[in-house]
Amino acid sequence: HSGGRGFARPRWLAARVGDAGARRGGADDARADLGLATPPRLGGKTHASRLKNFKLLGQSIGKVLQDGRMLDLPLAPAFYRMLLGRSLGLHDLIEIDPGLGNTLRRLDAAANEIETMKREGRPESEWRNVTVDGVNIEDLCLTFVIPGASMELIKGGSEVGVNEVNLREYVDTIVDACVGSGVAAYFESVRTGLEQVVPLARLQMFNESELEAVICGQGEQWTPEMLTECITFDHGYNALSPPIKNFCDILSAFTPDQQRSFMRFVTGAPRLPPGGLASLQPRLTVVCKQPSSTVGLSSIDSAPVAAGTPLADGDLPSAMTCASYLKLPPYSCKEIMLERLTYAMSEGQGSFDLS
């Protein structure tokens, strides 16, 4: 069977751009925690459709670079290396798909051991007894098929068993199918689409981490001091206002996922531009949102209200994403502010209302 004893089923990190399987959801969907990359080439209409979609991805990346915008797409570091024209190997596959990659690493070590023994003139009886995790190569029941998939690596590969003689060919062929010639056409489509908007030569000044920051933005560790320097406070608030101190403390304690949710809520983009919050344009502005229960009351004194009041505890913050503008009610305490802010961040993502 193609799966083999102890062999990890690959979970392609995607680039299932336009694939029906990715839209349906399921075990083989993209795993954004590891980053998106391209799956091996398929034939027929699926291949042709992917070529078009990857070209569109390249055009989108080019437009993002041209307009100075952020692309909310967690691409794998290996994707940027290939985008820069660098060749990929087994170490990249381990990064993209740890299950498959680490299994291949053990097989690769066994293949290296067999080759060394052959060069040293060791008898065939010795190198044929090389094992992987204590199991003989033939007993792994591997064939020349990508594990967990129906894609043959060579013609009639499902009938060709892997043994000590062809183990090196097997490992090299899988690596080539996953991060070499098997995905070259897709990456070439991405590069073709990108070249139509931005010359590829301009990307060579970046490494993969810098390119990721330029295309997709970045996160950063916030502190209260840094936030007060990078945010404008207005309409009743200043850096010393009690609600603002609570606000900065809350943001400083955010996890990366919470930071992304906050940035999406306030700016429409989940990640910061290169340079972090200090480089955000328009600059993030936080203003005092008067409690709804006090609207229209002439006797209300705005100064003490801006210092924090229970009258605001029932209200939610609102944002103008086009202006990076947050309207924050002057909540009475940090705990209520955290609850109301996180609620708005999670429930207000798909809302577009007058505030």
Side-chain angles (χ1 to χ4, degrees):
H1 62 285
S2 62
R5 177 176 176 178
F7 208 110
R9 174 185 174 89
R11 298 180 64 181
W12 299 115
L13 310 181
R16 291 180 177 257
V17 183
D19 282 8
R23 291 193 299 270
R24 288 195 304 269
D28 290 332
D29 280 359
R31 293 172 58 191
D33 57 327
L34 297 175
L36 306 182
T38 55
R41 171 175 177 168
L42 297 177
K45 293 182 179 179
T46 301
H47 174 62
S49 176
R50 281 184 176 176
L51 287 176
K52 292 181 180 178
N53 288 325
F54 278 113
K55 183 178 180 180
L56 177 60
L57 174 60
Q59 292 169 332
S60 300
I61 292 174
K63 193 61 178 173
V64 162
L65 292 171
Q66 186 181 67
D67 293 349
R69 299 182 182 276
M70 298 290 107
L71 182 66
D72 183 18
L73 194 62
L75 300 168
F79 186 96
Y80 295 107
R81 294 182 202 123
M82 185 70 86
L83 196 62
L84 292 169
R86 297 165 190 166
S87 59
L88 305 183
L90 178 56
H91 61 285
D92 298 289
L93 184 55
I94 293 173
E95 180 183 79
I96 294 171
D97 192 334
L100 175 62
N102 283 311
T103 300
L104 287 175
R105 179 180 53 79
R106 299 198 298 274
L107 294 176
D108 182 69
N112 289 337
E113 183 179 356
I114 291 172
E115 291 175 345
T116 299
M117 295 173 74
K118 286 182 177 180
R119 285 195 302 269
E120 294 174 349
R122 308 276 281 276
E124 182 177 337
S125 59
E126 288 191 27
W127 57 259
R128 280 192 177 275
N129 284 325
V130 171
T131 63
V132 176
D133 296 338
V135 180
N136 290 329
I137 307 299
E138 291 189 6
D139 292 341
L140 292 172
C141 302
L142 299 172
T143 59
F144 275 72
V145 175
I146 292 183
S150 58
M151 298 170 57
E152 292 186 335
L153 296 165
I154 59 176
K155 186 176 182 180
S158 59
E159 304 299 325
V160 179
V162 178
N163 53 42
E164 298 80 5
V165 176
N166 59 18
L167 178 60
R168 166 54 58 203
E169 178 188 3
Y170 174 74
V171 173
D172 291 346
T173 305
I174 287 189
V175 172
D176 182 61
C178 295
V179 293
S181 64
V183 297
Y186 299 139
F187 274 109
E188 187 57 34
S189 290
V190 175
R191 290 165 62 86
T192 297
L194 199 158
E195 180 75 41
Q196 292 177 350
V197 185
V198 175
L200 284 169
R202 295 184 180 178
L203 303 184
Q204 297 304 316
M205 69 180 75
F206 302 108
N207 60 34
E208 59 264 25
S209 60
E210 293 169 339
L211 191 58
E212 178 185 21
V214 171
I215 294 174
C216 296
Q218 63 182 47
E220 65 181 356
Q221 182 62 51
W222 287 339
T223 65
E225 295 75 21
M226 184 267 280
L227 290 170
T228 56
E229 292 177 359
C230 298
I231 301 175
T232 297
F233 305 109
D234 205 349
H235 292 280
Y237 282 152
N238 59 56
L240 299 179
S241 301
I244 292 303
K245 290 183 177 180
N246 291 336
F247 175 72
C248 292
D249 287 342
I250 288 170
L251 262 59
S252 298
F254 272 175
T255 66
D257 285 341
Q258 288 176 315
Q259 187 183 104
R260 286 172 59 87
S261 295
F262 173 77
M263 292 307 302
R264 185 189 292 277
F265 175 66
V266 176
T267 71
R271 302 182 76 178
L272 292 162
L277 188 61
S279 300
L280 181 67
Q281 292 297 329
R283 183 181 171 92
L284 179 58
T285 299
V286 180
V287 301
C288 181
K289 183 178 183 180
Q290 294 297 315
S292 58
S293 60
T294 68
V295 173
L297 298 180
S298 57
S299 60
I300 190 69
D301 183 358
S302 60
V305 167
T309 172
L311 296 173
D313 290 349
D315 295 338
L316 288 171
S318 57
M320 297 167 56
T321 55
C322 57
S324 305
Y325 197 87
L326 176 65
K327 301 177 182 179
L328 182 70
Y331 298 109
S332 60
C333 65
K334 184 189 299 184
E335 292 73 22
I336 292 177
M337 179 179 289
L338 174 61
E339 187 275 328
R340 303 307 280 166
L341 181 59
T342 53
Y343 180 86
M345 286 159 44
S346 62
E347 300 298 327
Q349 297 289 353
S351 175
F352 187 85
D353 303 296
L354 297 177
S355 56

